[in-house]
Every structure is written in structure tokens, then in C-alpha cells.
Amino acid sequence: MLLPTFALAQLSASPAGQTPATNPLPSWNDTAPKKAIFDFVERVTKQGSPDFVREAERIATFDNDGTLWAEQPLYSQLLFALDRVKVLAPQHPEWATEEPFALLLKGDVRAALAGGEPAIAKIVMATHAGMISMEFTEIVRDWIATAKHPVTGRLYTEMVYQPMLELVAYLRSNNFNNFIVSGGGIDFMRQWTDRVYGIVPEKVVGSSGKTKFEMQNGKWVLMRLPEISFIDDGPGKPVGIHEHIGLRPIAAFDNSDGDQAMLEWTTGDKSRSRFGLLVHHTDAVREWAYDRDSKVGKLDKALDAAPAEGWTVMSMKDDWNKIFPFGSK
């Protein structure tokens, strides 16, 4: 039986003579964040501990972009949408003069995206809707199987963080229920998260567009409409957790201000032991260094709030000895 990608990555990362059982987080340096993770997991899983949490309530939520895989220079799903604009352009001659499509087709991505959220929403709606759900599924699967990162030339599914793969596997081995809670599209992520992270589709919470159940050519289908249904970002994340999971997490792993509400929701209840961690992008050599001024994955208010809230802030430069399964950028 073939091992999934995340398992192969974890095993290959273990130093000689060590196993995941004796060193479950080999890509983490022996610094405070690693020790805090071990301490939390021991307290909530040890029978008889005052902080013990039964397995059904061991919910851990992970942001995706910038937490589980790279988000620079642009979010991967946005790059997917930009590729789709090129594919669909022959069917839309009006895009030659309609913005932001005209700028995109001229290769001026920066100017096209200068329109902010309205421009991005227009691009996403044009490339993610107007088709049945199964058609979109196949398009995503085909793209994720071949599309490569513009800087590293690696497949996007290789741009995952080795230490986070180990963390997901470590929590799973301690009977945590791991969920992805991301601002990314739920239908986009569900096509590959099981293979890459070992997180099955039904444990993915994300943004979504509206769909319509209708008859087409004698078959019932779900038609993707050019309308937004739910944005799973900022204050939307606790709402998405409530509606999809139904339980308050005891651990949350994030990297940006867009995740702050999820951290606050997770750790705000002091009636039991809880854990929040921020991935701080501090390594300009092996990955990218960015935080307060970044247009992608901005980390400002959440970074300031971390000390008072008791969140662990993990530095890529200082706390990880390896970033990607293949090494570094």
C-alpha cells in the first residue's frame, strides 16, 4: 500500500536511529514552541490529569495559507484563478477591454490586483462559477497535479511546511481531530488535502460560493453560481467552526491577522486547557520574511495580542531546522 505524501515526508525527515515515536517533531528545534506543544498534548491526553480532554473533544484547527503551506508571492488559489483567466479568455472576447481581465491578459498582474477585493472577487467569480461542481473538481485536480510555484518551480503540493506535516501527524497519533479552517475555497482545498496533509475533505472548512441543484440533460447536478455564500476569514472563522464542526477547538494554529478571531475563539474559554500558536515568517533565506506590512498574510494585530492572550509565537528562522520537505526556497 502506498503511503500518503505527508507520511512519507515525516518518515524521511526523521534522523537515523530515531522514529516518530521517540522524536515526533524532528524538524522543530528544541526551543520553547516545541516544548509548549509537547507540554500541552501531554496535559490534555494523560488520564487522570486535571486538564484531560476526552478524544471526541480534542479538536485542532489549522489555517492553510501561510500555516500549512507557502502563501508568497500570492495565494495559490489566486494563482489558480489567474491561470484560469488565460484558459477562458478565448471564450470571453469582452475581456480584452474589461478590467481587471484586460490587464491580466497583458501580463500586468500587479495593476490588475491593485483594485483590491472587488477585483479579486470578480476574477474568482469568473473562473470558479458557471459550471457544475464535478467539472470544477476535475479542473482543480488537473491544475494541482501539474502547476508549479513561480519562484521555486516546485509543485504547489510540495510547498508544504515539513514541521507542520509532523505536527498534524503528531496530534493525530494522540487522537486529535484535525480540521483545516481557511479563507481559501472549500471546494478548491478538498481536492488535495487528504493526499497532502492526511486531512479528509469533510474536515475542511473554507469559503464557498452559492450552488443550485438543477436538472441538466436528464441528470441532477449542482451548478456553481457567481455569488458568494460564505467567507471563512476573520470573524467568519468562528462561525464556520460552529456551523461545520459544532465544537470549540482546544488548539488552533495560524499565521495572520485573518486568523485572530479563530485564536480568540479557541483560547478565550479558560475553563479548560487550550493552545494557540502563530507561525511567524522570519526566514528570508529559506522561505520569506514578512509580517506587519505584507499584503499577503499580514501579521500585525495578532502579533501584538499574542503575549496577553498567551499564544505561542513560533519563528521559522529560530524554531524550525527544516522548512519544506525538499529543503528550502
Side-chain angles (χ1 to χ4, degrees), residues 1 21 41 83 87 96 100 106-107 113 144 150 163 196 202 205 236 241 247 251 286 289-290 293 300 329:
M1 179 178 70
V41 172
D83 281 352
V87 172
K106 292 175 184 176
L113 299 183
I144 205 73
V196 176
E202 57 267 31
V205 182
I241 290 170
L247 290 172
R286 297 184 298 169
Y290 60 98
D293 298 321
D300 182 23
K329 180 184 69 176

Side-chain angles (χ1 to χ4, degrees), residues 164-183:
M164 297 306 285
L165 296 179
E166 294 167 3
L167 178 58
V168 169
Y170 172 59
L171 292 178
R172 183 187 300 108
S173 71
N174 282 278
N175 298 311
F176 275 74
N177 292 298
N178 297 323
F179 289 80
I180 290 176
V181 181
S182 170

Side-chain angles (χ1 to χ4, degrees), residues 249-327:
I250 64 168
F253 303 89
D254 306 287
N255 79 294
S256 73
D257 285 358
D259 307 315
Q260 184 170 346
M262 180 161 76
L263 284 165
E264 291 169 337
W265 174 239
T266 299
T267 64
D269 178 6
K270 308 301 182 183
S271 64
R272 63 171 24 165
S273 183
R274 298 178 183 276
F275 187 79
L277 180 142
L278 278 167
V279 175
H280 192 186
H281 295 262
T282 56
D283 198 320
V285 176
R286 297 184 298 169
E287 206 243 4
W288 288 267
Y290 60 98
D291 46 37
R292 299 185 188 277
D293 298 321
S294 180
K295 293 183 179 180
V296 177
K298 181 178 181 178
L299 177 60
D300 182 23
K301 294 180 180 179
L303 189 60
D304 289 339
E309 296 290 346
W311 302 331
T312 296
V313 179
M314 188 286 308
S315 164
M316 279 192 173
K317 183 178 180 180
D318 298 330
D319 299 318
W320 286 356
N321 61 64
K322 186 175 186 178
I323 292 185
F324 300 109
F326 56 84

